[in-house]
Amino acid sequence: MEEKKARLFSAVQPSGIPTIANYIGAIKNWVALQDSYECIYSIADLHTLTVRQVPAQLRQRTVELLALYLACGVDPNKSVMFVQSHVPQHAELAWILNTITYPGELARMTQYKDKSQRHADNVNMGLMDYPVLMAADILLYNAEVVPVGKDQKQHLEIARDLAVRFNNRYSPTFAVPEGIIPKVGANVMSLQDPMHKMSKSDANENAFISMADDKDTIIRKFKRAVTDSENSISFDENRPGISNLMTIYSVFTGLSFAEIESKFAGVGYGQFKIEVGEAVADLVCKIDAKKKEYLADKGYLEGVMAEGREKAYYMASKMLNKVYKKVGLYIPERKK
């Protein structure tokens, strides 16, 4: 008898073209994880609304992100892929979880403080409530495992706290999710400021590599990457610039840090940056070409969306009905 796989949930926002940080930290791992776990992958479009969006762009980016998932190797026959807003139970469970969440917990969130400063003209309740919706995303599917970057650990802790709090108050209902952090590439840093995370919303376009950048653009950005004055290729946390480039090169080539140091012994930063750029460009351009092939077949993409929605909706409905009964909401009997 085949052993039951643990269930895993993860999501990416369609708030812009993903960077290689999104690819390394999330989508690349998804492909490897789908053989070991029962995987549920979402396009988190509701989360994007905490920051003002251009509606037509958001719709297009949602479709493009699905095409990117497929181009990277996420298989709809192995994993459930769906758009968050297509399954209304996410928002419904978030409301229930709000009733057991304390304002102080949300006000302390590092990401809330950071985004409140960067979007001071649009500090909204959705921005503060983001971790509760994220908790609903996870708990709705009884996910036991969640891949997270270091910056998302706080949000996972809230999801765990809410699961325990609900279970204690109403009886065991939710699995308490565990986080898994990639061994390499959990945090890919800005090419221009390696003390900060790479972000697709960075005002400096040289700070990030987009998954839609062409080869020349990718190599040019790496040539301009900030390093230090030592000019030796060795991994050292006190030298964040070169260490970040080595991390990226390791992920895209499969070489260990020791192998990279040996390969580039005596080689200067200039040549190393070009090599990193070429390794990244080779894969990114292949993925982008596949993505464009999927985008050319709108019918197939809509079919994948519909199938994913149906599977996710079924799982979400079962869990939400259980939650509604636990908290005392009246669920009408279905007509036979």
Side-chain angles (χ1 to χ4, degrees), residues 70 99 110 119 140 182 190 226 232-234 247 261 273 283 327:
L70 295 165
T99 66
T110 302
H119 303 281
L140 194 55
S190 162
V226 170
S232 61
I233 316 300
S234 60
T247 296
E261 289 174 4
K273 288 178 183 180
L283 183 58
V327 301

Side-chain angles (χ1 to χ4, degrees), residues 152-195:
Q152 288 288 335
K153 285 177 72 176
Q154 258 194 327
H155 289 172
L156 181 61
E157 283 305 312
I158 277 205
R160 289 171 53 82
D161 290 345
L162 292 177
V164 170
R165 196 173 298 161
F166 189 96
N167 291 346
N168 289 340
R169 186 173 297 185
Y170 294 108
S171 78
T173 307
F174 298 120
V176 180
E178 296 287 341
I180 52 173
I181 298 175
K183 291 180 180 178
V184 178
N187 267 1
V188 176
M189 312 309 282
S190 162
L191 298 183
Q192 293 299 305
D193 181 2
M195 296 303 293

Side-chain angles (χ1 to χ4, degrees), residues 4-12 26-27 29-31 33-44 66 69 74-84 87 90 134 136-147 175 307-317 319:
K4 187 178 183 297
K5 295 178 180 178
R7 185 172 286 176
L8 177 151
F9 180 90
S10 193
V12 171
I27 306 172
N29 292 318
W30 292 2
V31 178
L33 292 167
Q34 63 187 349
D35 289 322
S36 304
Y37 296 92
E38 181 188 352
C39 294
I40 301 167
Y41 297 135
S42 180
I43 295 171
L66 176 63
Y69 285 2
V74 182
D75 187 345
N77 295 313
K78 294 180 179 180
S79 305
V80 176
M81 279 185 284
F82 70 101
V83 178
Q84 182 188 30
V87 182
H90 286 254
M134 182 175 165
D137 295 337
I138 297 165
L139 302 183
L140 194 55
Y141 300 98
N142 240 10
E144 299 151 275
V145 177
V146 182
E307 184 179 351
R309 176 202 171 276
E310 188 175 331
K311 291 176 181 177
Y313 193 96
Y314 174 75
M315 289 186 280
S317 294
M319 176 55 81

Side-chain angles (χ1 to χ4, degrees), residues 109-313:
M109 291 292 101
T110 302
Q111 196 170 85
Y112 170 68
K113 293 176 183 177
D114 177 52
K115 287 194 173 183
S116 294
Q117 290 176 347
R118 287 193 286 118
H119 303 281
D121 61 332
N122 186 31
V123 180
N124 56 76
M125 282 308 302
L127 195 61
M128 177 177 271
D129 208 38
Y130 180 106
V132 181
L133 180 56
M134 182 175 165
D137 295 337
I138 297 165
L139 302 183
L140 194 55
Y141 300 98
N142 240 10
E144 299 151 275
V145 177
V146 182
V148 288
K150 291 177 182 176
D151 62 315
Q152 288 288 335
K153 285 177 72 176
Q154 258 194 327
H155 289 172
L156 181 61
E157 283 305 312
I158 277 205
R160 289 171 53 82
D161 290 345
L162 292 177
V164 170
R165 196 173 298 161
F166 189 96
N167 291 346
N168 289 340
R169 186 173 297 185
Y170 294 108
S171 78
T173 307
F174 298 120
V176 180
E178 296 287 341
I180 52 173
I181 298 175
K183 291 180 180 178
V184 178
N187 267 1
V188 176
M189 312 309 282
S190 162
L191 298 183
Q192 293 299 305
D193 181 2
M195 296 303 293
H196 291 89
K197 204 175 85 164
M198 184 180 287
S199 171
K200 57 193 169 188
S201 60
D202 199 308
N204 185 349
E205 64 174 18
N206 290 310
F208 61 89
I209 304 294
S210 159
M211 290 299 290
D213 281 344
D214 59 36
K215 182 174 182 177
D216 289 344
T217 300
I218 291 170
I219 292 174
R220 185 184 73 247
K221 287 181 179 181
F222 275 110
K223 282 181 178 179
R224 295 175 178 175
V226 170
T227 46
D228 53 54
S229 59
E230 290 195 28
N231 209 32
S232 61
I233 316 300
S234 60
F235 192 89
D236 183 344
E237 290 184 357
N238 295 316
R239 299 167 62 206
I242 189 62
S243 298
N244 186 43
L245 293 181
M246 287 181 67
T247 296
I248 294 168
Y249 191 70
S250 175
V251 170
F252 278 87
T253 62
L255 296 176
S256 68
F257 293 145
E259 288 170 329
I260 295 169
E261 289 174 4
S262 176
K263 180 177 179 178
F264 291 97
V267 176
Y269 285 163
Q271 183 57 39
F272 180 61
K273 288 178 183 180
I274 292 171
E275 294 261 4
V276 178
E278 288 179 344
V280 172
D282 183 54
L283 183 58
V284 167
C285 293
K286 285 177 182 174
I287 290 172
D288 190 50
K290 282 186 182 179
K291 183 183 101 171
K292 287 171 181 172
E293 289 178 13
Y294 282 115
L295 286 171
D297 191 346
K298 188 178 179 183
Y300 176 73
L301 291 177
E302 288 185 346
V304 171
M305 270 191 199
E307 184 179 351
R309 176 202 171 276
E310 188 175 331
K311 291 176 181 177
Y313 193 96

